[in-house]
Amino acid sequence: MTRIVAAAVLLVSMGAALVSAAQVPQEVPPRDRLKTHAEPSAPGTQERLADDARTPLLLLGGAAMLLLLVLSARSFLRRRSLGVPPPPPPPGVVMSVSRSPSHNFSKTPEASIRLLAGLGVEGDAHLGEKVQHRSRLATRGHEPNLRQVHLIHAELMDDLATRGFPDLAAGHMGENVLTRGVQLLDLPTGTKLYIGTSALVELTGLRNPCPQLDNFRPGLTGALRPEDAQGNVRRLAGVMSVILEGGEVRAGDVVRVELPPLPHRPLEPV
């Protein structure tokens, strides 16, 4: 960046020097002085001279701006080629935390929950290194548990309230952590969330809305799994994560986002 500014300053300085040189009055030979005083300059001559003097500065100023743009673009492309991620999103906040010791659809809000590294939420039915969801135990029970912590953004509930579901509250849709201020669904796979003073989770994928949502509120599955005219499905029921570092989490905790290196992979159902 320092080299970019220096190049621009050099171009502007050169332009200023040219303008100054153009404005220095020229010495008139003695034999032509009488003629010069005797013949007034034609109308508009001084204005044209002033315009001519400004032209080099304008041209070099434009060249300086072009140089700034080119070098800035080169810097951006170089950073992108080196896999430097964009700045992280602004932090959010925890609105509520929930857990359930049994495999109920909804979870109970708590004053705080404890995240255990590599396992899940202490006292929650989905705690474990391997798959814990009952619908998957028979065929995928040997696989790693990628759904240790379920997060939903409160903005989703705001939206659902305008679409016929005004009574949804924290824990109703089975999430462990309800956040606000972080667009969870837009984050790439591998994003790290620092929650509170010590907890750290890594996003693994999307929750796939299941028919149990309709058992809780008729029509909720479709609202969380809209499909466009081309058949593309959007899954809005939150994100899943694994716990890298444990700790206590409670309402009011700050959620800080750390994006993974480029290239980013969008979240897929897990």
Side-chain angles (χ1 to χ4, degrees), residues 11-228:
L11 281 173
V12 174
S13 300
M14 291 172 60
L18 286 175
V19 171
S20 299
Q23 291 177 334
V24 172
Q26 300 296 319
E27 181 67 25
V28 180
R31 64 178 178 275
D32 292 337
R33 286 176 184 170
L34 182 61
K35 182 179 179 181
T36 300
H37 288 292
E39 297 178 2
S41 59
T45 300
Q46 295 299 324
E47 289 79 0
R48 286 196 300 274
L49 290 174
D51 290 341
D52 291 344
R54 285 193 295 267
T55 298
L57 180 59
L58 294 175
L59 291 175
L60 284 170
M65 292 299 295
L66 181 60
L67 180 63
L68 281 170
L69 290 173
V70 170
L71 293 180
S72 297
R74 285 184 60 188
S75 176
F76 170 78
L77 292 174
R78 183 173 180 272
R79 285 171 56 84
R80 188 169 183 178
S81 67
L82 292 175
V84 179
V93 65
V94 174
M95 301 300 294
S96 179
V97 294
S98 305
R99 65 178 178 175
S100 174
S102 58
H103 286 274
N104 299 325
F105 175 75
S106 298
K107 298 184 185 295
T108 304
E110 304 278 357
S112 67
I113 57 175
R114 178 171 292 278
L115 307 189
L116 303 178
L119 294 172
V121 177
E122 185 178 51
D124 191 86
H126 297 114
L127 177 77
E129 293 182 355
K130 303 296 183 181
V131 168
Q132 298 296 312
H133 284 72
R134 289 182 299 178
S135 62
R136 304 181 177 204
L137 281 174
T139 58
R140 302 173 60 180
H142 62 284
E143 297 180 3
N145 183 7
L146 301 180
R147 298 156 63 100
Q148 295 172 8
V149 180
H150 177 201
L151 302 96
I152 286 181
H153 51 299
E155 291 84 352
L156 173 63
M157 291 187 176
D158 297 341
D159 177 60
L160 290 172
T162 67
R163 294 194 283 142
F165 304 95
D167 58 341
L168 291 177
H172 276 180
M173 291 189 287
E175 80 282 355
N176 298 112
V177 180
L178 181 68
T179 68
R180 183 175 290 280
V182 178
Q183 296 300 316
L184 297 173
L185 302 179
D186 296 335
L187 298 174
T189 301
T191 296
K192 294 178 181 178
L193 301 180
Y194 294 83
I195 308 175
T197 58
S198 58
L200 172 61
V201 303
E202 181 177 309
L203 301 191
T204 55
L206 298 170
R207 175 190 178 180
N208 194 26
C210 64
Q212 292 186 65
L213 291 162
D214 279 345
N215 296 334
F216 182 72
R217 292 287 188 278
L220 189 53
T221 301
L224 294 173
R225 200 174 181 275
E227 186 174 329
D228 63 21

